[in-house]
Amino acid sequence: MPNHADHSNYSAGLSKSEVLESVLLSYEALSSDTSNWVANLANCSSLVWHAYHSLGIKVNWAGFYVLNKEVEGELILGPFHGKVACQTIKIGKGVCGAAAQTKETQLVANVHEFPGHIACDGDTNSEIVVPLVKDNVTFGVLDIDCLELNGFDATDREYLEKLAQLIIHSCTW
Ligand code: SME
């Protein structure tokens, strides 16, 4: 890869698995330069955003909420790609809060049917949230929103959970 930005370029015609595998490889390469969580999560948001857009999947938000060290029981907005979003989310509230609390991926086919879903953007219809967990502690969540219903499936879950593992082991929090 001659330039950093080339990591955001995905060839046309690749399958979802191929594109998401490429996200993992790019994330590993980029995070080998630094363990700073802001830098790594910022570039990761870009990788994920461009990956889904290359597949024609209408992702309208891709980014992170991290544990707020100043307010117990709260997540705070981290690096992201997309429109302005809610700044804080209580652990246990919404899809992000549920992922943080249960430490399990939330794959939501229709956000309007998820009790307590927090609508940062009324145009969102589906969502996947993967917790970032190390030593049984949630450090944050990866949140991806889609304009379509059923925007994500088991393949997304599989690769994004692998990405979460790479993130949690590459960052100093
Ligand atoms: N929908 C999320 C809130 C975050 S935004 O989607 C960026 C939730 O219910 O937790």
Side-chain angles (χ1 to χ4, degrees):
M1 291 270 176
N3 301 309
H4 279 74
D6 292 328
H7 284 283
S8 294
N9 297 333
Y10 298 90
S11 311
L14 296 179
S15 69
K16 188 195 274 183
S17 302
E18 288 169 327
V19 168
L20 293 178
E21 186 67 40
S22 176
V23 169
L24 299 179
L25 294 174
S26 285
Y27 180 82
E28 271 191 307
L30 291 164
S31 62
S32 67
D33 285 347
T34 178
S35 65
N36 181 285
W37 68 268
V38 176
N40 284 335
L41 299 191
N43 268 341
C44 192
S45 304
S46 174
L47 290 174
V48 169
W49 174 273
H50 287 286
Y52 280 102
H53 281 255
S54 80
L55 291 164
I57 297 171
K58 293 184 176 134
V59 161
N60 58 324
W61 203 88
F64 296 88
Y65 285 86
V66 296
L67 199 63
N68 187 352
K69 291 183 176 166
E70 284 157 20
V71 181
E72 205 184 321
E74 189 175 276
L75 298 169
I76 190 158
L77 184 62
F80 69 95
H81 248 53
K83 292 182 182 174
V84 166
C86 327
Q87 275 128 312
T88 60
I89 295 175
K90 294 287 175 206
I91 292 179
K93 299 288 179 197
V95 187
C96 292
Q101 186 169 61
T102 62
K103 303 182 176 73
E104 284 178 9
T105 297
Q106 305 292 306
L107 179 53
V108 183
N110 180 352
V111 295
H112 310 292
E113 291 175 354
F114 189 96
H117 166 253
I118 301 162
C120 293
D121 182 343
D123 290 336
T124 297
N125 276 311
S126 58
E127 180 164 7
I128 186 166
V129 182
V130 182
L132 308 175
V133 181
K134 188 175 171 185
D135 298 332
N136 210 32
V137 175
T138 302
F139 285 83
V141 298
L142 164 60
D143 179 18
I144 310 176
D145 293 351
C146 184
L147 295 174
E148 310 275 9
L149 292 166
N150 293 300
F152 307 102
D153 59 22
T155 302
D156 300 287
R157 180 188 189 130
E158 179 191 341
Y159 282 92
L160 296 173
E161 287 182 349
K162 285 184 194 167
L163 182 59
Q165 283 301 307
L166 293 179
I167 291 168
I168 203 75
H169 290 107
S170 59
C171 292
T172 306
W173 303 92

